[in-house]
Amino acid sequence: MARLLVIGGGPAGMAAASKAKREKPDLEVIVAEAGKYVSFALCGIPYYLAGVVKDINELVHYTPEYFREKRKIDVRIKTKVTSVDFSGKKAILEYENGREEEVEWDYLVIATGAKPRTFPLPGLDLEGIYTIRSLDDAVIIKEAAKKAEKVVIVGGGYIGLEVAEAFRILGKKVTVIEALDHVLPNVDKDIADYVEEELRRNGIEIKKEQKVVGFEGNGKVRKVLTEKGEYEADLVIFSVGVVPNTDLFRDSPLEFGFKGAIRVNERMETNIEGVYAVGDVATVKNIVTGKEDWIALAQIANKMGRVAGANIAGLEMSLPGVAGTAFIKVFDLEVGRTGLTEFQAKKLGYNVESIVVKSVTKPKYYPGWKNIVVKILYDSESKKILGAQAVGGEGVSMRINAIATALYAKLTVDELFNIDFGYAPPFAPVWDPLVVASSLALRRKKV
């Protein structure tokens, strides 16, 4: 009987294990997970901290027992893989009690995910400073927050802002420190400006263009120090991004690619036969540029796992590329992006043009309409759509998902005008913001 060993029980790892076992029932599947949860939703952590999700177990899609009993997958939690012998097809598993076991494998899936990016800053080891990358982290932070009044979030990315909102809902004094000139580095500044306005409107202080240089406290954090000032804090969330968790494999024969992630092809195969890498630890192709990229998002991780599992089972499946489509809610604002930002497009050498449309989500005569801003980016020569961003009170996801589809279809901004977007007063205006944007691009073309 052939054996598959999966290192990591997150969304990507469990998707690979489940697909392989489903398609090839006689395959023995072992999943080694260092933590105590598998098949979990990290994206739900801010809502657990805010109290929207009452029990941490609600963020667990399926338990280890479910996988063992229903799917016949041997899930081993609190189990670390300490070494991998690629030539001998063996791995050493270390269990919670310290016992070690050598496990042979025919197929290996590396799904170790990403880890928080940290820097050797003075005082980073003080009590009260946390990173978020597991459900266990969330439980510890929620307990610590009960005694905190002043919270500082270092980093204004997706997780940083969602956690900032969570603590504000809990009545904490919240300060966000961002090294760049705007929050949400994955959108352009003109879109991020609306987000910053919403944060301030809800009582969150924003300190931009400030690099954190250290922390002070007597055993427990009391101040966050930046190049421009210092800020009192009872609790600090250090959220300055993530990097591929490849520590175990740094001296291995695996090939590494963009941003140090394990290089894979469209079938999720590494350069070693029988070895696959999926999720936040692996590279992926950007659907817009056609180049190797690294995009740590949950929906991409799930698809990568499914593709790997299918190929291990003998099916033909590939992932041709991703657009990096993502959403975030910031209090009463929805924010979305897909493809390239204007900054990224210019850096890659595109002759980028942008159209920004300020519109409404429904006709103004219909109750409940809200403002929305849509920004579409396209190449000035080919007119190919390169990406889009949107911010507004509602309706952001439908517009961004439409542009994501357009990116896969390689549509031009002119062709966007011809799409038959549905209209009815309760749902959308007769001239959808996307159609307005394409119309403006057509007009610009004629000038």
Side-chain angles (χ1 to χ4, degrees):
M1 180 187 294
R3 176 183 290 161
L4 163 63
L5 173 63
V6 179
I7 306 176
M14 296 315 302
S18 297
K19 182 64 175 177
K21 185 67 175 178
R22 185 184 306 116
E23 301 297 342
K24 196 173 183 179
D26 61 344
L27 179 69
E28 181 185 0
V29 181
I30 298 174
V31 177
E33 166 55 42
K36 64 180 180 180
Y37 301 101
V38 296
S39 188
F40 43 79
L42 289 178
C43 297
I45 287 177
Y47 309 106
Y48 167 71
L49 295 177
V52 176
V53 176
K54 304 300 181 184
D55 189 328
I56 194 68
N57 291 299
E58 293 180 50
L59 300 182
V60 179
H61 299 302
Y62 299 105
T63 64
E65 292 75 22
Y66 172 87
F67 282 106
R68 296 188 197 112
E69 296 171 9
K70 300 295 184 181
R71 300 192 182 181
K72 309 305 177 186
I73 295 173
D74 184 1
V75 175
R76 305 180 187 183
I77 58 173
K78 299 181 181 179
T79 301
K80 296 180 180 178
V81 176
T82 58
S83 69
V84 178
D85 178 359
F86 289 95
S87 59
K89 292 191 172 185
K90 299 174 183 178
I92 301 297
L93 275 58
E94 181 183 308
Y95 300 103
E96 186 181 15
N97 60 9
R99 183 175 70 87
E100 292 187 341
E101 179 185 4
E102 183 178 82
V103 173
E104 297 182 348
W105 46 266
D106 299 284
Y107 304 98
L108 178 69
V109 171
I110 300 169
T112 48
K115 62 179 182 178
R117 178 187 288 133
T118 58
F119 302 96
L121 297 173
L124 188 58
D125 59 347
L126 287 169
E127 181 186 344
I129 302 176
Y130 303 93
T131 58
I132 300 177
R133 202 55 195 172
S134 71
L135 300 191
D136 293 311
D137 294 336
V139 174
I140 294 169
I141 292 169
K142 185 162 187 174
E143 186 62 29
K146 293 178 181 178
K147 300 177 182 179
E149 294 182 5
K150 299 174 182 178
V151 178
V152 172
I153 312 295
V154 181
Y158 295 133
I159 295 296
L161 296 193
E162 288 175 336
V163 172
E165 178 179 345
F167 283 121
R168 191 72 191 112
I169 290 172
L170 295 176
K172 313 297 181 183
K173 182 180 184 299
V174 181
T175 302
V176 174
I177 301 175
E178 171 57 51
L180 301 179
D181 65 350
H182 66 89
V183 299
L184 289 181
N186 287 326
V187 305
D188 291 316
K189 187 179 184 304
D190 53 349
I191 298 298
D193 286 344
Y194 292 96
V195 179
E196 292 175 11
E197 182 181 338
E198 181 72 1
L199 290 168
R200 293 190 182 96
R201 190 175 68 83
N202 284 277
I204 292 179
E205 287 191 50
I206 305 169
K207 305 297 180 180
K208 298 182 291 183
E209 298 183 275
Q210 296 197 34
K211 184 180 293 184
V212 172
V213 295
F215 305 89
E216 284 186 357
N218 185 17
K220 190 178 188 310
V221 67
R222 286 289 176 256
K223 288 182 180 180
V224 180
L225 311 178
T226 76
E227 296 171 316
K228 297 181 179 179
E230 55 183 46
Y231 305 95
E232 294 184 354
D234 305 310
L235 187 150
V236 174
I237 301 298
F238 198 80
S239 180
V240 293
V242 295
V243 294
N245 186 11
T246 59
D247 294 349
L248 181 62
F249 312 104
R250 271 300 159 191
D251 296 323
S252 75
L254 287 167
E255 286 184 4
F256 295 88
F258 192 72
K259 292 195 175 180
I262 297 172
R263 176 169 286 143
V264 296
N265 60 19
E266 293 183 6
R267 291 166 50 88
M268 303 303 114
E269 297 168 323
T270 69
N271 61 303
I272 302 175
E273 185 178 358
V275 179
Y276 299 74
V278 297
D280 297 352
V281 76
T283 61
V284 71
K285 187 166 80 172
N286 189 301
I287 199 70
V288 179
T289 66
K291 297 179 180 180
E292 182 179 87
D293 208 336
W294 180 71
I295 302 174
L297 292 171
Q299 75 273 24
I300 296 173
N302 274 284
K303 289 178 181 177
M304 293 172 79
R306 187 178 180 88
V307 168
N311 287 303
I312 289 169
L315 304 178
E316 286 291 329
M317 194 172 182
S318 64
L319 185 65
V322 302
T325 307
F327 303 112
I328 179 176
K329 184 188 79 69
V330 181
F331 293 101
D332 292 330
L333 276 188
E334 298 176 0
V335 189
R337 55 94 64 210
T338 190
L340 303 179
T341 64
E342 188 168 3
F343 174 79
Q344 290 171 328
K346 288 179 178 177
K347 189 175 180 180
L348 289 167
Y350 288 96
N351 294 315
V352 61
E353 290 196 33
S354 65
I355 295 287
V356 178
V357 173
K358 297 180 180 180
S359 185
V360 291
T361 57
K362 301 166 186 169
K364 287 189 175 181
Y365 60 76
Y366 191 89
W369 63 269
K370 295 180 181 178
N371 292 311
I372 187 170
V373 178
V374 174
K375 179 177 184 177
I376 297 181
L377 304 162
Y378 62 96
D379 183 81
S380 62
E381 296 176 3
S382 67
K383 301 300 178 183
K384 285 286 178 64
I385 298 173
L386 300 175
Q389 297 153 54
V391 58
E394 63 179 7
V396 163
S397 63
M398 62 185 284
R399 272 91 189 182
I400 293 299
N401 281 336
I403 296 298
T405 304
L407 292 176
Y408 279 83
K410 302 189 184 306
L411 295 185
T412 66
V413 70
D414 298 352
E415 291 170 326
L416 187 63
F417 181 82
N418 298 322
I419 294 180
D420 185 15
F421 291 109
Y423 155 68
F427 306 110
V430 65
W431 283 94
D432 191 89
L434 297 184
V435 177
V436 174
S438 61
S439 176
L440 290 173
L442 281 166
R443 191 184 308 169
R444 180 180 295 178
K445 180 180 177 182
K446 294 176 181 179
V447 174

